[in-house]
Amino acid sequence: MTLAEFFGCACLAFGAPLAMFTFTIAHDPIRIIILIAAAFFWLLALLLSSLVWFIVVPLRGFLAFGLVFSVIYQEAFRYVIYKILRKTEKGLQEVADNVRVTENKHILAYVSGLGFGIISGAFAIINILADAVGPATMGLLSGSEIFFLTSSAQTLCTILLHTFWSVIFFNALDTSRYTHIAYVVLSHLFVSCLTLLNRRELYWATLLPNYTILLVTAIMAFRVVGGSMLSFRRFITCK
């Protein structure tokens, strides 16, 4: 039972991102490099926020303190990787076998956002999945029996949000839409702070708002890349 729970939760958290990677990134080495580089920058953000948490001794006991700095550093490094990708865009066009890697500026944002999301999701759920293997399961003597399920659903939400956030963020910097930049930063902070409610097992109060924000962010990202109701209907009807 524990092994089935492990694979079920892992597939829920990483099934969609793995499909996105397989069909849109895995065939192109340049995109793979960009994804790995984005994941590395997210790790740098985690390292710096951890250093701040470690240095400020009086506030170590407040999880919200470290969380806020983690969000700030993540968005700062999202900006850093944006600048790097824009400066190296011409070079990527020269070395890429497939010109489509960089002919659409939104592709770079999508790939780097997915890199951010995958590494963020891995760090968020890897220990939880390790506990899911056994020897016991949640909910028998203490804890909620839906803990693993909700943690996996939250991880999936975070991965997709990072992908959409990068698309919106990169386009906002290109077009000077500062309201979109503010939306990305504030919604990231809001989504992260909501996860603090999980300590009280208020999972519904976390997942419902976060998935609502995910839907809104997905629509914004879709509109940013030039999507419309007409193109959406054509996609659904395979025309």
Side-chain angles (χ1 to χ4, degrees), residues 21-237:
F21 173 81
T22 302
F23 291 110
T24 62
I25 297 176
H27 66 279
D28 195 303
I30 299 298
R31 296 185 188 182
I32 294 175
I33 293 172
I34 294 172
L35 183 138
I36 294 174
F40 174 73
F41 278 103
W42 186 91
L43 289 174
L44 288 180
L46 178 64
L47 175 62
L48 289 179
S49 59
S50 300
L51 287 175
V52 172
W53 173 85
F54 181 79
I55 292 171
V56 186
V57 178
L59 295 177
R60 285 187 192 176
F62 298 94
L63 183 58
F65 167 73
L67 184 147
V68 169
F69 272 93
S70 176
V71 171
I72 292 173
Y73 280 119
Q74 286 179 52
E75 295 305 326
F77 275 96
R78 198 190 305 273
Y79 175 76
V80 170
I81 195 170
Y82 161 81
K83 296 296 289 184
I84 292 175
L85 288 176
R86 287 294 180 256
K87 287 183 178 296
T88 59
E89 200 165 357
K90 292 183 179 179
L92 290 174
Q93 290 178 349
E94 293 177 0
V95 301
D97 294 330
N98 186 355
V99 180
R100 288 179 298 176
V101 175
T102 56
E103 68 179 6
N104 187 340
K105 62 180 181 180
H106 301 299
I107 291 179
L108 297 179
Y110 161 78
V111 174
S112 62
L114 188 59
F116 257 57
I118 289 176
I119 194 66
S120 174
F123 267 78
I125 203 172
I126 191 68
N127 290 330
I128 296 174
L129 290 178
D131 290 337
V133 177
T137 58
M138 295 288 294
L140 297 180
L141 295 177
S142 63
S144 173
E145 61 184 8
I146 62 171
F147 172 72
F148 293 125
L149 182 63
T150 54
S151 297
S152 300
Q154 179 60 46
T155 299
L156 173 62
C157 180
T158 302
I159 295 173
L160 296 178
L161 276 173
H162 270 295
T163 306
F164 299 143
W165 279 331
S166 286
V167 172
I168 297 171
F169 191 84
F170 280 36
N171 181 77
L173 291 173
D174 287 336
T175 58
S176 299
R177 292 185 179 181
Y178 300 110
T179 54
H180 283 188
I181 296 175
Y183 171 80
V184 170
V185 176
L186 293 177
S187 61
H188 188 181
L189 186 61
F190 179 72
V191 166
S192 299
C193 288
L194 275 181
T195 59
L196 296 174
L197 297 175
N198 290 339
R199 293 182 298 178
R200 303 178 183 178
E201 297 185 0
L202 298 175
Y203 302 124
W204 61 270
T206 299
L207 288 179
L208 289 180
N210 283 356
Y211 270 88
T212 301
I213 293 174
L214 173 62
L215 178 61
V216 173
T217 308
I219 294 173
M220 286 183 63
F222 179 70
R223 296 298 297 270
V224 158
V225 300
S228 63
M229 287 300 299
L230 178 60
S231 62
F232 182 74
R233 285 196 297 267
R234 287 178 176 175
F235 169 75
I236 295 297
T237 56

